[in-house]
Amino acid sequence: MFDAIVNGLSGLGAGVLHLHWSNPVMIAVGCLLLYLGIKKDVEPLLLVPIGFGAIIVNIPLADLMGEEGFLRTIYNMGVANELFPLLIFIGIGAMTDFGPLLENPKIFLLGAAGQFGIFLTIGLALLFGFDKLDAVAIGVIGACDGPTAIYVSSKYAPHLLAAVSVAAYSYMSLVPIIQPPIMRLLTTEKERQINMSELVSTSPASKTTKILFPIVVTIFGGFIAPQGLPLLATIMLGNLMKESGVVGRLTKATENEIANVVTLFLAISIGATMDGRAFLTTQTIMILIFGFVAICLDTVCGVLFGKLMCKATGGRINPLIGAAGISAYPMAARVVQKEGLKYNRFNFLLMHAVGANTGGQVGSVMAAAIMLSVLKGMGIIP
Amino acid sequence: MDNVTFGLTLLVVGMGGTLAALGLLAVMMNLLKKIFPAKEEPSN
């Protein structure tokens, strides 16, 4: 009888006895993510389920990511096969208005420049000894686009998924803190005061153009970068549904119900990959550093390209909007608007910045698609 | 393929390809706007 009680009590304490030092640390990290999401309103839709996932996966013996674990089931259902990020992309496409970009299509180029950080960071990661595909997954944090980072890392470097996705979403939410000092450092006060509304004449796009835009991007992008077609096609399908106006029910479902359910599953799965034994490594710290570098380089390249366009157009482009060429939508556009107003209180750059920002969304997907097709061409991926 | 060659190739082709692709898209969008101008559809 006494032995049975002792055995029973030892069963109750087994979880504590199997605790690894990294588990309490990661539980604290999970709590920090919950705090940021709940109290500080930082990406709560993502950080709350990620934080909770990180807590429960670090409770020993629960085996939630084991073969039969419910988190493993969710992970296999949509992260391991890259389905969840693609479903989210349909919702993003349905929520995005490319109108400001189509009003002034040349700012598409800023969306390209805003992705240069991806490729520069890949080079840096390679210099620091990362494997080729690991470097690619790290560089794509610079896309400043969560689903793209998750798609690429889950496909080609699944062991880095947790660190890459945490870095991608954390830095996206930190864009308002990271970008302004770089923008001020690289521009003169005179450049920051350029009032584009007075200098740039734009014309609105017709409904036909708006409907043709996603079709043209999909066909064109698919031909030059077929490896990235799932990324391009899903975001453009969402946008086509929105602009066509004939499938309101589907559009509503993709931007609400589907996006919400998939966000929950995706985020809790990411949290579930944050097992302390695998996550608390020097490699994770390096990935977080490289992710930060990638976003800084994106901003630098975007602003410098903005300066180039400013010169080329005789001072009609405010170089600040180059910072919105990254994909963090709409945070980057808001940062540009705020910075512009600081130097000229009548300078409303928002619509131009939103154009560059949506260009950055297309740019990030296009850059990832091109990168995957180049990797395929070099025989690095099957 | 060594890491330096790989990194440089990806840098040149990736950055150049992205810039060229979005530049071409910008040209195509300008063409579409000329073919289907907004004034055709005053309701928009």
Side-chain angles (χ1 to χ4, degrees):
Chain A
M1 176 68 182
F2 180 72
D3 285 347
I5 291 172
V6 169
N7 288 340
L9 286 175
S10 70
L12 283 178
V16 179
L17 291 175
H18 283 81
L19 204 63
H20 184 258
W21 68 267
S22 62
N23 296 136
V25 176
M26 289 309 294
I27 289 173
V29 170
C31 290
L32 175 68
L33 296 178
L34 288 179
Y35 172 78
L36 290 173
I38 296 167
K39 292 293 282 185
K40 298 289 177 186
D41 203 32
V42 177
E43 301 277 347
L45 292 176
L46 292 159
L47 291 195
V48 170
I50 289 178
F52 201 77
I55 291 172
I56 57 178
V57 83
N58 280 287
I59 293 174
L61 302 182
D63 208 21
L64 299 180
M65 278 297 271
E67 281 307 306
E68 305 288 322
F70 90 96
L71 290 179
R72 173 63 64 186
T73 305
I74 297 174
Y75 182 89
N76 288 343
M77 203 164 69
V79 179
N81 57 18
E82 305 102 39
L83 178 67
F84 287 164
L86 298 179
L87 289 176
I88 287 190
F89 257 149
I90 302 179
I92 291 175
M95 285 181 242
T96 306
D97 179 9
F98 288 105
L101 175 66
L102 294 174
E103 280 190 25
N104 187 10
K106 64 173 171 287
I107 53 177
F108 243 127
L109 294 172
L110 293 172
Q115 314 309 318
F116 288 175
I118 298 175
F119 302 101
L120 294 168
T121 307
I122 292 173
L124 279 177
L126 288 168
L127 284 177
F128 276 81
F130 277 93
D131 167 58
K132 292 185 180 74
L133 288 179
D134 288 359
V136 165
I138 293 166
V140 89
I141 298 171
C144 233
D145 181 347
T148 302
I150 292 167
Y151 179 86
V152 173
S153 58
S154 62
K155 201 171 171 79
Y156 300 110
H159 54 289
L160 301 183
L161 176 64
V164 167
S165 43
V166 167
Y169 281 112
S170 306
Y171 293 137
M172 271 167 65
S173 61
L174 291 175
V175 157
I177 297 165
I178 297 172
Q179 285 199 314
I182 300 172
M183 293 157 74
R184 287 193 285 266
L185 186 71
L186 296 176
T187 52
T188 63
E189 193 161 335
K190 195 180 166 195
E191 285 172 333
R192 293 193 286 269
Q193 287 176 342
I194 294 173
N195 189 333
M196 288 181 66
S197 304
E198 289 173 357
L199 300 168
V200 179
S201 58
T202 57
S203 57
S206 63
K207 183 170 180 175
T208 311
T209 305
K210 286 183 177 178
I211 291 173
L212 287 173
F213 171 71
I215 300 170
V216 170
V217 172
T218 305
I219 295 172
F220 172 73
F223 275 119
I224 61 164
Q227 296 300 312
L229 186 59
L231 292 168
L232 270 174
T234 45
I235 193 167
M236 289 302 145
L237 170 64
N239 191 250
L240 176 63
M241 291 197 300
K242 169 189 154 65
E243 295 300 345
S244 69
V246 294
V247 283
R249 281 166 52 197
L250 297 185
T251 310
K252 190 174 166 289
T254 51
E255 64 185 351
N256 293 300
E257 292 85 356
I258 295 174
N260 290 342
V261 171
V262 175
T263 299
L264 171 63
F265 286 167
L266 180 65
I268 199 166
S269 303
I270 291 167
T273 58
M274 293 168 71
D275 186 324
R277 291 167 207 248
F279 191 82
L280 287 179
T281 61
T282 317
Q283 196 179 49
T284 302
I285 295 167
M286 288 182 76
I287 290 170
L288 293 174
I289 294 169
F290 280 122
F292 178 76
V293 170
I295 289 173
C296 290
L297 288 173
D298 279 342
T299 309
V300 168
C301 293
V303 174
L304 290 180
F305 203 86
K307 282 171 81 85
L308 193 68
M309 286 182 77
C310 178
K311 295 271 180 225
T313 57
R316 290 183 179 179
I317 300 277
N318 188 320
L320 288 180
I321 68 163
I326 64 171
S327 179
Y329 178 83
M331 289 88 83
R334 284 191 197 135
V335 169
V336 171
Q337 160 80 348
K338 208 171 153 189
E339 281 301 303
L341 282 174
K342 274 185 195 168
Y343 298 92
N344 177 352
R345 64 195 177 95
F346 300 109
N347 194 2
F348 296 97
L349 292 170
L350 188 63
M351 286 317 283
H352 302 284
V354 166
N357 211 179
T358 50
Q361 281 195 301
V362 179
S364 68
V365 175
M366 190 65 86
I370 286 173
M371 187 174 66
L372 296 180
S373 291
V374 173
L375 291 175
K376 166 92 173 168
M378 289 195 283
I380 306 290
I381 57 173
Chain B
M1 183 186 292
D2 66 287
N3 278 0
V4 175
T5 314
F6 171 74
L8 286 175
T9 309
L10 208 53
L11 190 71
V12 173
V13 183
M15 280 168 52
T18 306
L19 194 62
L22 292 195
L24 277 171
L25 274 177
V27 172
M28 282 190 252
M29 289 310 118
N30 268 324
L31 276 175
L32 278 179
K33 282 178 72 178
K34 282 195 168 59
I35 299 167
F36 304 104
K39 60 188 172 190
E40 276 180 3
E41 295 152 72
S43 60
N44 294 307

